[in-house]
Amino acid sequence: PTATTTPSGTVNMPTLFANITGLTPDTQYYVWFRNKCNATDKSAWSAIPLGFRTGIRGQIGSGTDTSDQLPLYSLYGYNYTQQIYLASEIVASLGVNGQQYITKLKFHFTSSAATANYKDWQIFMGNTTKTSFTSVAVDQWVPVTAMQEVLNGVVTFPDPTGNWMEITLAEPFVWDGTS
């Protein structure tokens, strides 16, 4: 930008975050900064822009399969489950190959049970060369030490009438694009 470039958005201090809407998926964007003390007193634009690429939305599966046990089985006071999504499924869903950030998980939720006590979730994600679990034995699972914790907290459930349960990850997961 030049000194006369009109900003397309503003963030007032001390806010350090801005929600930018209307961006195109899988597109590179750049953001420049400058200080504005008053209507006429402005600093120069930052010399180096902040760059980021917008994500791509994708869905693995049809969203029509139902189970009262995935992603969890609530009969007990705890639950542990693992799911494998193949690289071919992710590439088919996103339409791109290569490293991607995963920031949300969604499950089509159908249950007649109350969900008020579903709290204290820990979600881990990892890249693996496994393509399936050959048995239900614990030694078939990916070790939790080989995964990244992406959420530790409460998950909000929709009304149990067949809605989507959306889980926003506290930490984005970097899928390596191949495993």
Side-chain angles (χ1 to χ4, degrees), residues 79-143:
N79 182 285
Y80 187 83
T81 180
Q82 286 195 0
Q83 300 166 25
I84 295 177
Y85 297 96
L86 302 176
S88 58
E89 294 173 310
I90 298 171
V91 169
S93 170
L94 299 179
V96 296
N97 207 351
Q99 180 177 307
Q100 298 292 321
Y101 288 92
I102 298 174
T103 59
K104 291 183 182 181
L105 301 174
K106 290 174 79 171
F107 294 94
H108 194 249
F109 181 68
T110 302
S111 175
S112 58
T115 59
N117 295 325
Y118 291 5
K119 57 181 181 163
D120 303 326
W121 279 51
Q122 284 184 284
I123 298 176
F124 294 83
M125 296 179 74
N127 293 299
T128 183
T129 57
K130 285 184 174 285
T131 57
S132 66
F133 298 114
T134 57
S135 75
V136 295
V138 174
D139 67 348
Q140 292 297 304
W141 295 347
V142 177

Side-chain angles (χ1 to χ4, degrees), residues 151-169:
L151 180 81
N152 187 345
V154 175
V155 173
T156 303
F157 283 74
D159 291 331
T161 56
N163 291 311
W164 286 95
M165 176 179 71
E166 184 173 289
I167 303 169
T168 300
L169 306 178

